[in-house]
Amino acid sequence: MTGVLEGPHGLDATVAPGRGRPVDLLFRLRQAVAAGPDRIAVRDRNDALSFARLDAATADLAESLAGSGVRPGDRVGVSLPRGADLVVALLAVWRAGAAYVPIDPAYPDERRHTMVRDAGARVLVTTAAAGEWPSGVRLLTVGRPGAPADRRPAPPVPVDAHAPAYVIYTSGSTGTPKGVETTRGGVAALVAALEEAGMYAPEPRVVAWNASVSFDASVQQWARVCRGDTLVVLDEDERTDPARLIAALDAHGVQDLDLTPSHWPLLRDELLARAAEGRALCLFMGGEPVPEGTWRELAAERAAGRLEALNLYGPTECTVDTAATWIDGGTPHIGPALPGVRAHVLDLDLRPVADGVAGELYLAGPQVALGYVNRPALTATRFVADPFAADGTRMYRTGDKVRRRADGAMEYLGRIDRQIKIRGHRVELGEIEAALTRHPAVSAAAVTLHHGSVAGEQLVACFVASDAVDGPPTAEDLRAQLATQLPKFMLPTVYTRLEALPLTVNGKVDLAALPAPEADPTAAAETAGDRENAPEGEVETLIAAVWSEVLGRDRVRADDDFFAMGGHSLIALRVVARLKKQFGIAMSTREVYRHPQLRDLARHVETLRAAG
């Protein structure tokens, strides 16, 4: 049975037996506007929008979208910095009956253009100049009415449950990102399920939005404004600087915060101190497995009544979250399926396995996405007929290995393919390998995820140099090329040249035989070049000491590059925290990215000290 969403025209939604009817989020937003027009709906660092102003601004932009030719079912690109305008744009696209395609402004040009073309987006909401986008794309900006107009904003375009809601691009094993298209009914079902499971409080909350809009976990935070919650949009500096993030949480009285388990160690001291003072916070944790130590720590905080945390699980292909549990005693698990989600643990022949036996997780229900944009064969492979339903619906093959416990909760056991999660991002290692082999000096490549005791998780690339060019490429050459094609989180930190990739007896790359990265490539005897480039002065010496500690290196030179040595975003956060503690200066990780060489970063720090 299919249908359209319950909304202003009294239309029903597809629902599971025994559940309430999911209501389209724009109808719920209008209810929130009517109930409290002067309440704050969205805040960012510079502005605050009441529900009435948010309603007026989204209606205004939706009218502009329609005037630009956007029709129900179209896909509209949205590429904006983080702030209230971003929320306005996403809601306006929905209001016009279309689906939004989030495009991170920080992505390389090639990736942004590929996403626009693949999605068939003819209209783009952005602040960027026209020359930065493919020709033929119409650009719009967000207008901001000073006060609600006297005229009543036009109602949203009515949509049915299968109308597309958004297209989020994930890493693709063939070397090209693939767009997952979800439905408005799926988003409505997600919110209704989290409410029914008690994961969203019944009363309005103050919710910080931390996840990238290009990451599907963002939906379960930003869309909460539609149910009457106040949304605090963290900007890039607040997201990447623990001190500024904590300050924003304090300033706005944030009650709910989304983060990855990797982010927890950077915030734990401040958050635990505030919890001890009685300032309650609920953490929405997802994107990667929760380590057992973190689980135990958060479970103890909940038992003491100081801090609550949720573990959320779900693939992009099933509208964000499909299982959830409170982190509360025991060992890590992903909980039971959310209301309305049908979770099947199956063997290779699609037969259910007994509780306690490992199998592949298949998911069914209204949250299952439409499929992959322009990829009918891949869609048919991953979205298969549900043999346990008699209505012709599909289920999604997750590729995740799980085991169901006797109490119905599921334990995550890993992947059955080469897809990985790193710092909350889903990555197909094959996409990085394909990008590496586009370099004319690389004939073959293999990428793995390495777990180091100091630097944590790192992507490690092994490559074979091509005989057709003069000389093998350097790590800097490869990193520079990849940076033009891939987001920063997909760039390997270690590059190892091999004479040939090891193979199994079947002729496939033997991933287990690939060499691990050296524990410390600088541990060899000191050279004259090392002495000539030794750090000098207070600032260079301190930064070298910090890098040595967080990167696990015995020796750091003044001309060393932070990212070439294995640095990544989470380690950059640790560097920023140490510099703030030592010199009392506030920096963001973006400044480390802009000044990756130690000597250049030291000069920047000295400039900030002088200005302070």
Side-chain angles (χ1 to χ4, degrees), residues 295 324-326 328-337 354-356 403-411:
W295 185 282
T325 185
W326 295 102
D328 186 14
T331 56
H333 59 90
I334 60 175
D355 288 352
R403 176 172 52 226
R404 199 191 306 271
R405 306 189 321 192
D407 62 1
M410 294 176 287
E411 296 176 347

Side-chain angles (χ1 to χ4, degrees), residues 329-393:
T331 56
H333 59 90
I334 60 175
L338 286 172
V341 175
R342 302 190 300 277
H344 307 294
V345 185
L346 309 178
D347 64 14
L348 294 176
D349 296 318
L350 298 186
R351 295 175 302 194
V353 301
D355 288 352
V357 176
E360 184 174 358
L361 179 60
Y362 287 73
L363 297 167
Q367 290 179 220
V368 173
L370 294 171
Y372 300 110
V373 174
N374 301 326
R375 304 262 190 114
L378 182 61
T379 297
T381 300
R382 304 298 298 188
F383 296 84
V384 298
D386 184 355
F388 309 102
D391 55 4
T393 55

Side-chain angles (χ1 to χ4, degrees), residues 59-432:
D60 183 69
L61 181 56
E63 185 176 326
S64 296
L65 289 168
S68 298
V70 172
R71 298 293 177 262
D74 285 354
R75 303 180 189 124
V76 176
V78 175
S79 184
L80 291 170
R82 296 177 63 87
D85 283 351
L86 177 56
V87 181
V88 170
L90 301 178
L91 290 171
V93 172
W94 278 359
R95 195 162 187 146
Y100 70 85
V101 184
I103 303 172
D104 193 325
Y107 280 179
D109 289 351
E110 180 178 330
R111 195 175 188 86
R112 291 189 293 109
H113 290 199
T114 295
M115 292 164 68
V116 170
R117 288 191 291 262
D118 186 65
R122 296 175 291 105
V123 177
L124 183 73
V125 184
T126 183
T127 58
E132 298 182 25
W133 298 100
S135 60
V137 177
R138 184 165 184 176
L139 306 184
L140 293 179
T141 57
V142 178
R144 188 72 72 76
D150 291 338
R151 64 183 177 87
R152 188 176 182 181
V157 173
V159 297
D160 66 30
H162 292 290
Y166 57 81
V167 175
I168 281 184
Y169 279 82
T170 67
S171 180
S173 59
T174 61
T176 303
K178 56 182 183 289
V180 179
E181 189 164 44
T182 63
T183 67
R184 290 279 285 273
V187 179
L190 166 71
V191 173
L194 289 168
E195 289 174 329
E196 184 175 339
M199 307 307 184
Y200 287 163
E203 70 280 354
R205 302 269 287 183
V206 180
V207 179
W209 174 17
N210 181 30
S212 166
V213 69
S214 298
F215 182 26
D216 71 313
S218 65
V219 178
Q220 55 98 330
Q221 291 298 97
W222 82 257
R224 291 180 60 175
V225 71
C226 297
R227 61 186 294 274
D229 293 329
T230 294
L231 185 66
V232 177
V233 186
L234 301 172
D235 64 24
E236 287 299 333
D237 287 342
E238 290 164 339
R239 293 181 66 231
T240 57
D241 182 339
R244 290 179 179 174
L245 173 57
I246 295 296
L249 301 183
D250 291 345
H252 302 304
V254 168
Q255 297 167 295
D256 294 352
L257 170 69
D258 68 287
L259 75 166
T260 63
S262 295
H263 208 181
W264 166 250
L266 302 167
L267 300 174
R268 67 175 298 280
D269 291 344
E270 293 285 357
L271 294 183
L272 291 179
R274 280 155 175 74
E277 297 169 356
R279 301 169 71 178
L281 185 69
C282 183
L283 304 178
F284 285 69
M285 194 167 278
E288 58 192 11
V290 179
E292 189 162 349
T294 299
W295 185 282
R296 288 197 304 267
E297 185 171 43
L298 291 172
E301 288 298 308
R302 186 167 197 251
R306 291 189 293 263
L307 186 72
E308 291 196 318
L310 287 159
N311 185 26
L312 301 163
Y313 162 86
T316 304
E317 289 84 350
C318 293
T319 319
V320 191
D321 301 321
T322 53
T325 185
W326 295 102
I327 298 178
D328 186 14
T331 56
H333 59 90
I334 60 175
L338 286 172
V341 175
R342 302 190 300 277
H344 307 294
V345 185
L346 309 178
D347 64 14
L348 294 176
D349 296 318
L350 298 186
R351 295 175 302 194
V353 301
D355 288 352
V357 176
E360 184 174 358
L361 179 60
Y362 287 73
L363 297 167
Q367 290 179 220
V368 173
L370 294 171
Y372 300 110
V373 174
N374 301 326
R375 304 262 190 114
L378 182 61
T379 297
T381 300
R382 304 298 298 188
F383 296 84
V384 298
D386 184 355
F388 309 102
D391 55 4
T393 55
R394 303 167 305 153
M395 58 183 184
Y396 173 67
R397 179 185 180 186
T398 68
D400 288 335
K401 186 187 298 183
V402 302
R403 176 172 52 226
R404 199 191 306 271
R405 306 189 321 192
D407 62 1
M410 294 176 287
E411 296 176 347
Y412 177 79
L413 304 176
R415 293 288 301 174
I416 63 172
D417 55 20
R418 295 193 63 221
Q419 184 186 108
I420 59 132
K421 283 286 188 75
I422 181 166
R423 295 183 283 282
H425 297 279
R426 191 170 91 177
V427 172
E428 292 279 4
L429 296 175
E431 181 175 1
I432 307 174

Side-chain angles (χ1 to χ4, degrees), residues 217 306 366 433 513 573:
R306 291 189 293 263
E433 293 165 351
L573 282 171

